[in-house]
C-alpha cells in the first residue's frame, strides 16, 4: 500500500459554491443573513416582525428552507415580500448549491438585504456555508436555557443570537445568565439579544444591529469565514 | 441524516485524491472529525458502505481520528479536552470563565491505496509482509463508537 496525504476539507465542494454565492451577493450589493434555529423557535415570526420594522426604502427578500410545504413562504409572500421556497425533501439543512438554484427565482438585483430561513435544526445547518454575510441564531425561551451547552457548534458560528419568546421568560424560569455563560464559552463577543416577536419587546436593539450591518458597504466585510 | 451528504463529500474527496495518485483501489481512508461537528462515526460508515459500491473505495476501511474541543479556564488555568454537553463551570475551580475552542475539524487526512507499482513490487520483492502489518493497523485505530 501507498500512503497518499490528502488533508482536504470534506465540505469543500459546498464551500466553493458558497464563495461564489457570496461574490454574487457582493457584486449586487445585497447583504445576506442566514437565520438558523430549532423547529418552533419562532424564526418565521421573528422574520415577519423584522420585515415590518425595516427602515422605509430598504428592499428585502426571503429564501425559505423547509423539509416540505410552503406554509412559511406563503406567510411571507402575503406581506408583499419577494420569497422563494426551497423544499429540501427531507434534507435537514440548506446547502450552497440549493441557494444558488433558488437565486434563479429571485430578483436579487433589486434587493438590499436577503434573509435565508434555514431548516429548523440546531445541528446540521451550522456545518454548511451558504455564502451569507451574517449568521443569525434564534433560540427561544421555551426550548430551555441549556441549548448552548448542548449544541455549542451552532452558537460558536453565530454573529448574533436572538432569545425569542422573552415574554415567557418568567413562566419558563428561563436563566439568561446560564444561557449567556454557555454561549460565551464558544463565542465570547457575540451580541445576545432577548426579544419577543409577539409583543415586540426587545426589537429595538436587534433592528439597530441589523440596520448597522446593512449600512456597511458589503465589500468591506471580511471574507467568508467560520 | 446529515451524514449522508457529508459522507458523499468525503467519498468525493477521497476518490479525487486516489485518482490523482493513480491508485487502483483505496484500502483505508483516514478522517479527522471534531467533537463539535455532531458527525456520528457509525452513521458515516453506514452511508459509506452504500455510496462506495462500485467505486475505487469499495470495501475501504474508515479510520476515524477524533479531534476533541479544548476547554481552557481563564481563572485557574486548567486545560483539557471537552465534548458536549459543555460543563456548567470549571471542573477544578468552578469558575464560569471558560473558553472552548477547536473541535470543528472535518477532513480527509490521508489514504492508503494500492497502485499498479506497489502491487507489482510487493509481489516481486516479497513486501507482502509489510502490507500485512498495515492491514492490522486499522482495527487498532478505529474507535468503534
Amino acid at each position: 500500500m501507498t500512503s497518499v496525504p490528502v488533508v482536504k476539507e470534506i465540505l469543500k465542494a459546498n464551500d466553493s459554491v458558497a464563495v461564489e454565492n457570496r461574490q454574487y451577493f457582493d457584486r449586487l450589493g445585497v447583504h445576506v443573513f442566514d437565520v438558523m434555529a430549532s423547529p418552533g423557535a419562532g424564526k418565521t415570526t421573528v422574520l415577519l416582525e423584522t420585515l415590518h420594522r425595516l427602515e422605509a426604502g430598504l428592499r428585502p427578500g426571503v429564501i425559505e428552507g423547509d423539509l416540505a410545504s410552503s406554509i412559511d413562504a406563503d406567510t411571507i409572500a402575503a406581506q408583499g415580500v419577494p420569497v422563494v421556497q426551497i423544499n429540501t425533501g427531507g434534507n435537514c439543512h440548506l446547502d450552497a448549491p440549493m441557494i444558488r438554484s433558488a437565486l434563479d427565482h429571485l430578483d436579487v438585483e433589486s434587493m438590499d438585504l436577503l434573509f435565508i430561513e434555514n431548516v429548523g435544526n440546531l445541528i446540521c445547518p451550522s456545518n454548511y456555508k451558504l455564502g451569507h454575510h451574517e449568521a443569525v441564531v434564534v433560540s427561544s425561551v421555551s426550548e430551555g436555557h441549556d441549548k448552548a451547552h448542548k449544541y455549542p457548534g451552532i452558537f460558536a458560528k453565530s454573529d448574533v443570537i436572538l432569545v425569542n419568546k422573552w415574554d415567557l421568560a418568567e413562566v419558563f424560569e428561563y436563566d439568561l445568565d446560564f444561557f449567556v455563560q454557555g454561549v460565551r464559552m464558544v463565542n465570547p463577543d457575540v451580541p445576545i439579544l432577548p426579544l419577543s416577536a409577539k409583543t415586540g419587546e426587545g426589537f429595538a436593539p436587534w433592528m439597530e444591529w441589523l440596520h448597522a450591518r446593512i449600512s456597511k458597504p458589503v465589500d468591506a466585510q471580511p471574507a467568508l469565514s467560520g | 441524516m446529515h451524514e449522508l451528504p457529508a459522507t458523499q463529500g468525503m467519498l468525493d474527496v477521497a476518490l479525487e485524491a486516489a485518482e490523482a495518485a493513480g491508485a487502483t483501489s483505496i484500502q483505508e481512508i483516514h478522517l479527522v472529525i471534531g467533537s463539535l461537528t455532531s458527525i456520528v462515526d457509525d452513521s458515516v460508515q453506514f452511508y459509506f458502505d452504500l455510496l462506495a459500491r462500485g467505486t475505487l473505495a469499495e470495501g475501504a476501511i474508515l479510520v476515524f481520528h477524533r479531534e476533541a474541543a479544548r476547554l481552557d479556564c481563564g481563572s485557574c488555568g486548567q486545560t483539557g479536552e471537552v465534548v458536549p454537553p459543555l460543563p456548567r463551570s470549571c471542573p477544578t475551580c468552578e469558575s464560569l470563565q471558560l473558553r472552548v475552542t477547536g473541535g470543528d475539524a472535518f477532513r480527509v487526512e490521508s489514504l492508503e491505496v494500492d497502485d499498479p507499482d506497489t502491487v507489482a513490487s510487493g509481489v516481486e520483492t516479497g513486501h507482502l509482509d509489510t502490507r500485512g502489518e498495515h492491514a492490522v493497523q486499522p482495527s487498532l485505530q478505529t474507535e468503534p463508537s
Side-chain angles (χ1 to χ4, degrees):
Chain A
M1 274 195 291
T2 307
S3 285
V4 178
V6 184
V7 196
K8 265 193 181 156
E9 296 302 319
I10 287 168
L11 299 178
K12 74 184 173 71
N14 178 78
D15 292 352
S16 62
V17 176
V19 168
E20 289 168 17
N21 288 348
R22 171 67 177 263
Q23 287 166 346
Y24 176 76
F25 294 138
D26 286 346
R27 201 162 56 243
L28 297 181
V30 183
H31 205 95
V32 181
F33 302 88
D34 178 14
V35 184
M36 295 177 281
S38 49
K43 288 184 298 300
T44 309
T45 318
V46 166
L47 200 48
L48 283 170
E49 189 62 23
T50 301
L51 291 168
H52 277 304
R53 291 168 180 259
L54 277 181
E55 278 173 9
L58 282 176
R59 299 163 302 169
V62 176
I63 294 176
E64 275 289 338
D66 230 325
L67 298 182
S69 94
S70 61
I71 295 172
D72 291 346
D74 294 344
T75 311
I76 303 284
Q79 306 300 313
V81 174
V83 57
V84 61
Q85 174 80 47
I86 300 176
N87 280 334
T88 62
N91 230 338
C92 51
H93 58 267
L94 295 175
D95 61 29
M98 289 183 205
I99 298 303
R100 183 168 63 185
S101 305
L103 295 176
D104 293 339
H105 307 281
L106 269 181
D107 183 12
V108 183
E109 229 162 305
S110 62
M111 289 174 190
D112 301 305
L113 68 162
L114 175 64
F115 295 100
I116 301 172
E117 186 178 330
N118 218 311
V119 179
N121 186 337
L122 284 183
I123 300 172
C124 323
S126 67
N127 292 334
Y128 289 82
K129 295 169 188 168
L130 304 179
H132 56 277
H133 296 90
E134 253 102 21
V136 181
V137 174
V138 182
S139 185
S140 67
V141 161
S142 50
E143 291 164 65
H145 44 240
D146 57 3
K147 288 297 157 289
H149 291 79
K150 287 184 176 172
Y151 305 94
I154 196 163
F155 294 98
K157 291 178 180 172
S158 59
D159 295 297
V160 64
I161 296 168
L162 308 180
V163 183
N164 190 30
K165 309 188 189 180
W166 189 242
D167 52 307
L168 298 176
E170 209 168 309
V171 180
F172 282 91
E173 298 179 351
Y174 189 84
D175 186 345
L176 183 63
D177 289 342
F178 183 77
F179 176 75
V180 169
Q181 187 257 332
V183 172
R184 289 287 171 253
M185 276 192 268
V186 293
N187 198 339
D189 302 315
V190 64
I192 301 171
L193 310 173
L195 50 72
S196 166
K198 188 180 174 192
T199 67
E201 178 188 359
F203 258 73
W206 156 234
M207 296 309 294
E208 193 183 321
W209 183 92
L210 184 72
H211 286 131
R213 299 278 109 40
I214 303 165
S215 58
K216 278 186 192 170
V218 281
D219 58 0
Q221 295 289 321
L224 191 77
S225 64
Chain B
M1 178 65 203
H2 70 310
E3 278 84 359
L4 174 57
T7 306
Q8 182 67 58
M10 178 268 283
L11 180 60
D12 292 344
V13 167
L15 290 175
E16 192 181 304
E19 280 162 20
T24 52
S25 70
I26 302 174
Q27 300 299 321
E28 296 171 17
I29 302 175
H30 290 252
L31 306 168
V32 179
I33 300 181
S35 59
L36 300 192
T37 59
S38 305
I39 300 281
V40 180
D41 299 1
D42 286 352
S43 188
V44 171
Q45 183 75 59
F46 173 80
Y47 286 121
F48 179 79
D49 292 342
L50 294 173
L51 295 169
R53 279 182 199 161
T55 73
L56 292 184
E58 181 167 355
I61 295 167
L62 300 182
V63 185
F64 296 94
H65 303 272
R66 279 279 164 189
E67 183 212 60
R70 182 174 186 78
L71 181 75
D72 293 291
C73 177
S75 187
C76 72
Q78 175 79 24
T79 65
E81 296 182 346
V82 65
V83 293
L86 303 180
R88 289 167 170 267
S89 59
C90 173
T92 304
C93 73
E94 296 187 359
S95 161
L96 301 181
Q97 305 298 314
L98 299 176
R99 184 82 176 98
V100 174
T101 49
D104 58 352
F106 188 39
R107 64 177 184 269
V108 177
E109 192 70 12
S110 64
L111 306 175
E112 295 293 326
V113 301
D114 282 337
D115 56 54
D117 293 343
T118 54
V119 171
S121 67
V123 172
E124 285 169 12
T125 59
H127 285 173
L128 283 171
D129 287 349
T130 312
R131 288 191 60 199
E133 282 176 19
H134 275 283
V136 176
Q137 278 185 348
S139 59
L140 297 174
Q141 294 179 9
T142 306
E143 301 163 17
S145 59

